Amino acid sequence: MNFLAHIYLSGDNDLIKIGNFMADGIHGKPDNFPTDVQKGIMLHRAIDTYTDAHPVFRQGTKRLHARYHHYAGVIMDIFYDHFLAKNWSDYHNQPLLDYTLAFYKSLEENYEMLTEKTKVLMPYMVQYNWLASYATIEGIGRILTQMDNRTKNKSGMRTSVDELQEFYKEYETEFTAFFEDIQVFVKEKITEIQNNTP
């Protein structure tokens, strides 16, 4: 799961959303963050573990593995954010643009608790509204190109839009099935995290 899915799966608590959003750059116990941010970080880790092991997600990565090797899972995360953004009205009553702008505002309001990595990323994310841009293939293409650039073009991720378009129906069907499962998992996991957090 990439940024949009992680944020969406966090529910309505802004601090849990923020923790989930910036968790990739945080290692070890997140004890120095507020309690709800800690919950978001733990939720992020649980979502990643669940996603990587899910048979539907793994089925999608198989189409990519021969060409992109260990980047296949990263590409799949982006693909799934595309289908969430594209079909946003199926999952949330608030329009995607309004939702993303509200999230950016919450980042600004809680700026002091953000990681340095998040603070560096944030201006670009807001300026180009990455989260809303996931809804189009062109937007996904730009994101994949940027990620490829960060690997000094070693990953070849910019070309994975070809696979997205070639197997579009298959990926969208798989996403829909997977997302039903992960929403059930997350609901249970949030309850568990709430109960285990002092």
Side-chain angles (χ1 to χ4, degrees), residues 164-180:
L164 175 61
Q165 291 176 309
E166 182 178 356
F167 300 105
Y168 198 86
K169 288 183 179 178
E170 291 89 338
Y171 278 123
E172 187 161 24
T173 300
E174 289 164 4
F175 165 79
T176 302
F178 168 82
F179 214 64
E180 286 181 10

Side-chain angles (χ1 to χ4, degrees), residues 151-197:
T151 69
K152 298 181 180 176
N153 304 324
K154 291 177 183 175
S155 69
M157 282 190 281
R158 70 184 67 224
T159 66
S160 62
V161 173
D162 296 345
E163 281 82 5
L164 175 61
Q165 291 176 309
E166 182 178 356
F167 300 105
Y168 198 86
K169 288 183 179 178
E170 291 89 338
Y171 278 123
E172 187 161 24
T173 300
E174 289 164 4
F175 165 79
T176 302
F178 168 82
F179 214 64
E180 286 181 10
D181 288 351
I182 199 166
Q183 287 181 97
V184 173
F185 167 78
V186 164
K187 188 175 181 180
E188 295 170 355
K189 181 55 68 171
I190 286 176
T191 301
E192 179 187 319
I193 289 171
Q194 298 278 24
N195 291 339
N196 293 337
T197 305

Side-chain angles (χ1 to χ4, degrees), residues 27-54:
H27 305 288
K29 290 187 176 181
D31 296 341
N32 54 329
F33 292 97
T35 301
D36 281 344
V37 175
Q38 292 181 42
K39 291 175 186 176
I41 295 165
M42 302 311 293
L43 180 61
H44 179 107
R45 294 171 181 174
I47 288 169
D48 280 356
T49 300
Y50 178 86
T51 300
D52 290 344
H54 197 285

Side-chain angles (χ1 to χ4, degrees), residues 2 16-17 19 24 30 35 43 48 56 59 79 82 84 87 93 101 109-110 124 131 139 144 150 163 167 174 194:
N2 202 49
I16 292 179
K17 287 181 186 177
D24 269 337
T35 301
L43 180 61
D48 280 356
V56 173
Q59 182 176 313
F79 285 4
H82 166 64
L84 175 58
N87 300 298
N93 293 328
L101 294 178
E109 290 172 347
N110 295 283
Y124 302 101
L131 298 177
L144 288 164
R150 276 187 236 133
E163 281 82 5
F167 300 105
E174 289 164 4
Q194 298 278 24

